Amino acid sequence: VTHPDLTRLSREEVERELRDSSAEIESRTGSPAMHFCYPYGRWSPAVRAVVCRHYRAACTTSARTITATADRFALPRVDVHYVRQPARFRSLFSRRFAVYLGTRRLIRRLRGAPEGS
Protein backbone atom coordinates (compact mmCIF):
# COMPACT_ATOMS: atom_id res chain seq x y z
CA VAL A 1 0.00 0.00 0.00
CA THR A 2 2.73 2.45 0.97
CA HIS A 3 5.68 0.70 -0.77
CA PRO A 4 7.85 0.38 2.36
CA ASP A 5 11.00 -1.66 2.83
CA LEU A 6 9.20 -4.70 4.22
CA THR A 7 12.33 -5.94 6.00
CA ARG A 8 12.00 -3.00 8.41
CA LEU A 9 8.42 -3.75 9.41
CA SER A 10 6.92 -6.01 12.03
CA ARG A 11 5.20 -9.18 10.87
CA GLU A 12 1.81 -7.57 11.53
CA GLU A 13 2.74 -4.52 9.42
CA VAL A 14 3.93 -6.76 6.58
CA GLU A 15 0.64 -8.69 6.75
CA ARG A 16 -1.33 -5.43 6.59
CA GLU A 17 0.70 -4.07 3.65
CA LEU A 18 0.19 -7.30 1.68
CA ARG A 19 -3.48 -7.72 2.54
CA ASP A 20 -4.41 -4.10 1.86
CA SER A 21 -2.37 -3.75 -1.34
CA SER A 22 -3.80 -7.00 -2.70
CA ALA A 23 -7.34 -5.85 -1.89
CA GLU A 24 -6.70 -2.51 -3.64
CA ILE A 25 -5.35 -4.21 -6.77
CA GLU A 26 -8.30 -6.60 -6.86
CA SER A 27 -10.82 -3.79 -6.39
CA ARG A 28 -9.29 -1.79 -9.27
CA THR A 29 -8.76 -4.66 -11.71
CA GLY A 30 -11.49 -7.11 -10.77
CA SER A 31 -8.86 -9.86 -10.75
CA PRO A 32 -6.91 -11.42 -7.90
CA ALA A 33 -3.33 -10.31 -7.36
CA MET A 34 -1.30 -13.51 -7.72
CA HIS A 35 2.28 -12.24 -8.03
CA PHE A 36 4.29 -9.84 -5.90
CA CYS A 37 7.36 -7.66 -6.35
CA TYR A 38 9.21 -6.83 -3.14
CA PRO A 39 9.47 -3.06 -2.75
CA TYR A 40 13.04 -2.08 -3.61
CA GLY A 41 13.67 -5.80 -4.14
CA ARG A 42 14.33 -6.23 -0.43
CA TRP A 43 13.14 -9.32 1.38
CA SER A 44 14.07 -11.61 4.23
CA PRO A 45 13.07 -15.16 5.15
CA ALA A 46 10.41 -13.74 7.50
CA VAL A 47 8.97 -11.47 4.78
CA ARG A 48 9.12 -14.33 2.26
CA ALA A 49 7.10 -16.53 4.65
CA VAL A 50 4.30 -13.94 4.76
CA VAL A 51 4.39 -13.42 0.99
CA CYS A 52 4.06 -17.21 0.48
CA ARG A 53 0.68 -17.15 2.18
CA HIS A 54 -0.69 -14.35 -0.03
CA TYR A 55 0.82 -14.91 -3.49
CA ARG A 56 1.89 -17.61 -5.95
CA ALA A 57 5.33 -16.09 -6.67
CA ALA A 58 7.43 -12.99 -6.00
CA CYS A 59 10.24 -11.06 -7.69
CA THR A 60 13.33 -9.44 -6.26
CA THR A 61 15.44 -6.94 -8.16
CA SER A 62 18.45 -9.24 -8.41
CA ALA A 63 19.85 -8.66 -11.89
CA ARG A 64 19.87 -12.26 -13.10
CA THR A 65 17.98 -14.42 -15.53
CA ILE A 66 15.70 -17.11 -14.16
CA THR A 67 16.72 -20.75 -13.94
CA ALA A 68 14.70 -23.94 -13.55
CA THR A 69 15.78 -24.17 -9.90
CA ALA A 70 14.92 -20.59 -8.95
CA ASP A 71 13.00 -20.00 -5.73
CA ARG A 72 9.57 -18.88 -6.95
CA PHE A 73 9.32 -16.46 -4.00
CA ALA A 74 12.71 -14.87 -4.70
CA LEU A 75 12.73 -14.75 -8.49
CA PRO A 76 15.42 -12.65 -10.11
CA ARG A 77 14.45 -10.23 -12.82
CA VAL A 78 16.02 -8.23 -15.56
CA ASP A 79 14.79 -4.66 -15.52
CA VAL A 80 13.57 -3.45 -18.89
CA HIS A 81 16.15 -0.66 -19.03
CA TYR A 82 18.80 -3.39 -19.43
CA VAL A 83 17.17 -4.61 -22.67
CA ARG A 84 15.85 -1.41 -24.27
CA GLN A 85 18.22 -1.73 -27.17
CA PRO A 86 17.13 -4.35 -29.75
CA ALA A 87 20.57 -6.00 -29.88
CA ARG A 88 20.66 -6.41 -26.11
CA PHE A 89 17.10 -7.80 -26.09
CA ARG A 90 18.05 -10.36 -28.75
CA SER A 91 21.00 -11.45 -26.59
CA LEU A 92 18.82 -11.89 -23.48
CA PHE A 93 19.66 -15.56 -22.85
CA SER A 94 23.16 -15.59 -24.28
CA ARG A 95 26.48 -15.95 -22.48
CA ARG A 96 27.25 -12.37 -23.47
CA PHE A 97 24.17 -11.08 -21.64
CA ALA A 98 25.05 -13.14 -18.55
CA VAL A 99 28.45 -11.42 -18.50
CA TYR A 100 26.72 -8.04 -18.89
CA LEU A 101 24.44 -8.78 -15.90
CA GLY A 102 27.42 -9.95 -13.85
CA THR A 103 29.14 -6.65 -14.58
CA ARG A 104 26.01 -4.73 -13.52
CA ARG A 105 25.89 -6.71 -10.23
CA LEU A 106 29.58 -5.98 -9.62
CA ILE A 107 29.00 -2.26 -10.16
CA ARG A 108 26.09 -2.37 -7.69
CA ARG A 109 28.26 -4.13 -5.09
CA LEU A 110 31.11 -1.64 -5.55
CA ARG A 111 28.65 1.18 -4.99
CA GLY A 112 27.50 -0.49 -1.78
CA ALA A 113 24.03 -1.42 -2.99
CA PRO A 114 22.50 -4.55 -1.43
CA GLU A 115 22.05 -7.57 -3.74
CA GLY A 116 18.31 -7.10 -4.06
CA SER A 117 18.38 -3.45 -5.04
Side-chain angles (χ1 to χ4, degrees):
V1 174
T2 62
H3 205 73
D5 177 348
L6 297 175
T7 65
R8 295 177 180 237
L9 302 181
S10 70
R11 183 182 180 125
E12 294 77 23
E13 291 169 314
V14 172
E15 287 278 358
R16 185 173 37 256
E17 282 288 332
L18 297 181
R19 182 185 61 244
D20 294 353
S21 64
S22 181
E24 181 70 19
I25 290 167
E26 289 178 27
S27 74
R28 289 180 183 226
T29 65
S31 297
M34 296 184 288
H35 303 94
F36 185 75
C37 291
Y38 298 101
Y40 313 105
R42 297 192 184 115
W43 63 282
S44 66
V47 169
R48 182 191 179 283
V50 177
V51 170
C52 285
R53 290 197 310 277
H54 292 273
Y55 296 94
R56 292 184 182 176
C59 289
T60 68
T61 56
S62 176
R64 300 178 192 282
T65 54
I66 196 166
T67 65
T69 59
D71 176 351
R72 70 181 176 137
F73 289 98
L75 295 171
R77 71 178 181 210
V78 175
D79 292 327
V80 73
H81 70 269
Y82 292 147
V83 293
R84 286 183 300 210
Q85 299 162 339
R88 198 161 283 144
F89 182 79
R90 284 190 298 275
S91 74
L92 192 56
F93 296 104
S94 69
R95 173 77 180 130
R96 183 176 175 193
F97 192 74
V99 170
Y100 172 73
L101 286 179
T103 303
R104 299 293 306 178
R105 286 192 307 276
L106 176 61
I107 291 168
R108 285 179 173 184
R109 252 191 320 274
L110 292 174
R111 289 182 177 166
E115 170 61 24
S117 65

